[in-house]
Amino acid sequence: MTVSGAVRASAPAKINLRLGVGPLRPDGFHPLGTVYLALDWRDHVTARPADDWSVEVATSVPGRVALDQVPTTGDNLALRAARLLADQAGVSDPVAVRIDKQIPVAGGLAGGSADAAAALVACDRLWRLGTSPADLLALAAELGSDVPFALVGGAALGVGRGERVTPLPVGGRLWWVVLPDAAGLSTPAVYAEYDRLVVEGAIRPVGVDVPTGLPAALASGDPHALSAYLVNDLAAPATSLRPELADRLATGAAAGALAPLLSGSGPTCLFLCDSRRRADAVVRALATRGLPGALVSSGPTPGAVGSVEELPA
Ligand code: C5P
C-alpha cells in the first residue's frame, strides 16, 4: 500500500575528519580508513506518486548551490536510488522526486550521496516497505561509497571503500568554517591524480589505519584534541589540480582556526574552530584576506534514517 500524499526526508552533508587512502584496488576503487562527521547542511528529498519517473531540483541558497551541475535525467543519484529500491522490492509505482538542495554540488561534501540516502528512506515509507536497516545499508552501498554514511549520520568510522560504517560517539558540537568553491572538482579526477602522484613517489599518504587517539578525541568533544588528527590524503592531489587551494588552507589557519582541512576530494575547504564565536570571526577574517563566501556549519547531525515526514495529499 502506498501513502496517499508525498513523503519527505533529508540527509546531511558529510566531511571526513581523516581520509586515509590506500593503493588502487582491481575494482577501480581505493581502500579507505576514514572518520566521517555529518554537518548541519541538509538536502531535502520529496517523493510523490506520479505517472512517470522524474526528478526536479531546486534551492533556497542559489549562491551556494550550482543547480546547473545537478543531473535531472536518469543519472540523478536520488532517482537512481528510488528506482533501485523499487526494483529490489518489486514495486512498479513511479514517483516524482523533488530535491531541495542546501549542500554545494561537486564540493567534496557528498551532496549527491545525501540525496540518494534521503530518496531511499522517503520511498521506503511511501511504498510502506519497512526495509530492514541492513538491507537499506546494502542498497546505499550499491549507489555510492558515501551513501551508507548519509543514512546513519552523526559520526562514523568508514572502511572498505568508505561504505562500511560503524557509528562513533561525539562529545560535543564541533564548529566549522566552510569555504565552498563555485567550480567543483571531479572525485574520479582527484583519485586519478592521487594514483599518479603515488606512482611518481611525490606523496606519502597516511594510509588506511586510523589512530586510536582519533575516536578518543572525538568522544571527548575537545576541538583542540581533535585538531591534531585532521588529515586528508586527497589534499595533495586536489591541490595539484587546483594550486590555489594551498593558499586558501593556509589563509584559514592564519585567520584563527585551529586547523585547516580539505573536505573529501575538494575543493571545499574546512577550518575547525573552538567555538561558534571564533568561527564567525574566522569568516570575517577570511573575507578581509580576499576569501569571501565562507559560512559557519556544525556537527554532528542525524542521518536520513529518522528524518521521514508524511505530507498531506
Ligand atoms: O562510490 P562513488 O560513486 O562515490 O565513487 C565515485 C568515484 O570515486 C569512483 O568511481 C572512483 O573513481 C572514486 N573512488 C575511489 N575510491 C573510493 C571511493 C571513490 O577511487 N573509496
Side-chain angles (χ1 to χ4, degrees):
M1 190 190 74
T2 297
V3 174
S4 54
V7 174
R8 181 165 61 192
S10 65
K14 68 85 192 153
I15 62 176
N16 305 80
L17 302 178
R18 179 183 179 95
L19 182 48
V21 180
L24 181 63
R25 304 191 316 202
D27 66 358
F29 288 89
H30 295 74
L32 302 184
T34 190
V35 174
Y36 292 109
L37 179 72
L39 291 190
D40 57 9
W41 290 352
R42 300 183 83 79
D43 283 0
H44 288 76
V45 172
T46 308
R48 188 180 297 280
D51 293 334
D52 241 322
W53 298 95
S54 67
V55 61
E56 83 180 293
V57 190
T59 184
S60 57
V61 284
R64 195 197 307 168
V65 175
L67 280 187
D68 57 346
Q69 291 179 39
V70 182
T72 50
T73 60
D75 288 345
N76 181 279
L77 209 49
L79 191 57
R80 280 177 45 206
R83 299 189 81 142
L84 179 67
L85 181 64
D87 283 353
Q88 203 74 19
V91 169
S92 53
D93 309 333
V95 293
V97 171
R98 180 190 158 96
I99 309 172
D100 289 290
K101 288 197 74 69
Q102 286 190 349
I103 306 173
V105 183
L109 295 163
S113 302
D115 301 349
L120 279 180
V121 299
C123 291
D124 182 63
R125 175 69 67 85
L126 186 75
W127 297 322
R128 296 276 189 240
L129 297 175
T131 307
S132 71
D135 286 348
L136 271 184
L137 284 169
L139 290 173
E142 259 185 69
L143 291 159
S145 308
D146 295 331
V147 183
F149 177 68
L151 278 179
V152 300
L157 178 70
V159 297
R161 59 184 166 87
E163 89 286 15
R164 284 177 12 227
V165 291
T166 308
L168 291 172
V170 187
R173 179 149 294 276
L174 296 163
W175 292 97
W176 298 84
V177 170
V178 184
L179 182 63
D181 181 309
L185 253 178
S186 147
T187 300
V190 174
Y191 274 106
E193 181 69 357
Y194 166 91
D195 294 336
R196 193 183 72 77
L197 293 174
V198 167
V199 168
E200 270 186 6
I203 55 173
R204 287 175 62 91
V206 294
V208 298
D209 292 335
V210 175
T212 53
L214 171 43
L218 198 54
S220 79
D222 175 3
H224 293 268
L226 188 63
S227 66
Y229 290 99
L230 303 182
V231 64
N232 182 348
D233 277 341
L234 296 181
T239 307
S240 168
L241 297 174
R242 295 279 299 278
E244 68 274 22
L245 294 177
D247 274 352
R248 283 184 204 171
L249 292 166
T251 302
L258 290 175
L261 180 68
L262 187 77
S263 184
S265 55
T268 302
C269 293
L270 305 165
F271 306 101
L272 177 62
C273 296
D274 56 7
S275 66
R276 162 94 215 209
R277 181 192 288 244
R278 177 92 63 180
D280 288 335
V282 169
V283 167
R284 290 192 296 273
L286 284 173
T288 62
R289 291 163 196 234
L291 293 173
L295 296 155
V296 175
S297 186
S298 66
T301 56
V305 170
S307 72
V308 182
E309 307 161 75
E310 294 186 16
L311 307 176

